Amino acid sequence: MQSVQHFGLKNHFLMAMPHMEDPNFAGSLSYLCDHDENGTMGVIVNRPLELTLDALFEQLELGGDESPHRDAPVYYGGPTHKDRGFILHRGESDAWDSSIQVADDIALTTSMDILQALADGKGPEQFLICLGCAGWESGQLESELKENAWLTVEGRADILFTVPPEQRLGAAAGILGIDLNLMTREAGHS
């Protein structure tokens, strides 16, 4: 009998368990933007880089002197496509060139038009700009979930956009009533 796979992790947080040793993901909170038979894609949302939006605007020659977002951090989004920007934001996807609607009020955009809008002081008020993303091949994430490498819970915009980055992982775990600091680093099987 063939097993049936369910692809319901879009718009979910993926929390690294305390025993996660992969340096790309240890201590990480990822937000999953796509999950289907081809695999899974998301961005890490709790690792700000030593890079501000102002420096990014300057590198891309977008101006941005008048942007109220100049001091916003840019995040390490994951080990894949590290040279590409992934902008997670509140609102509708149809306002931007290359965008997908992840949840009712959360979209992911990869086109320059949103960065130019932010540099011009326009665009979404709530956003995270990530360099790179995280990806899993078909069945890979499901296998890692069975090995207890991750916890999942439905994503929430308030955690993404209003909770400070260093508190996001704990806030997501809190939805499940879990304190990751109290969990052992040793994986157990009964």
Side-chain angles (χ1 to χ4, degrees), residues 35-183:
H35 180 230
D36 61 23
E37 65 278 357
N38 298 315
T40 308
M41 179 268 169
V43 289
I44 297 172
V45 296
N46 66 334
R47 291 202 181 152
L49 297 167
E50 295 288 325
L51 179 69
T52 63
L53 201 48
D54 188 43
L56 186 63
F57 289 156
E58 193 173 307
Q59 282 180 6
L60 298 173
E61 299 177 2
L62 295 176
D65 295 340
E66 303 303 315
S67 175
H69 308 295
R70 292 174 55 183
D71 295 328
V74 175
Y75 291 81
Y76 169 76
T80 306
H81 304 299
K82 289 191 274 191
D83 58 337
R84 290 189 55 199
F86 297 84
I87 300 91
L88 201 56
H89 58 91
R90 293 292 288 260
E92 301 295 318
S93 62
D94 55 5
W96 313 106
D97 289 342
S98 182
S99 191
I100 60 168
Q101 200 70 40
V102 180
D104 289 344
D105 61 342
I106 302 171
L108 179 73
T109 300
T110 58
S111 50
M112 286 294 288
D113 58 339
I114 194 170
L115 286 175
Q116 185 63 63
L118 290 168
D120 294 341
K122 301 172 184 156
E125 281 298 312
Q126 294 183 314
F127 62 89
L128 296 177
I129 295 181
C130 303
L131 291 180
C133 68
W136 293 263
E137 293 177 4
S138 179
Q140 181 183 1
L141 181 58
E142 291 80 1
S143 176
E144 292 177 14
L145 286 166
K146 286 178 188 169
E147 294 169 5
N148 297 318
W150 307 98
L151 287 174
T152 62
V153 69
E154 190 168 350
R156 288 193 358 207
D158 63 326
I159 292 175
L160 285 171
F161 302 115
T162 63
V163 172
E166 67 278 4
Q167 296 173 16
R168 288 181 188 144
L169 178 59
I175 297 169
L176 296 173
I178 294 172
D179 182 345
L180 291 173
N181 296 318
L182 300 177
M183 296 183 80

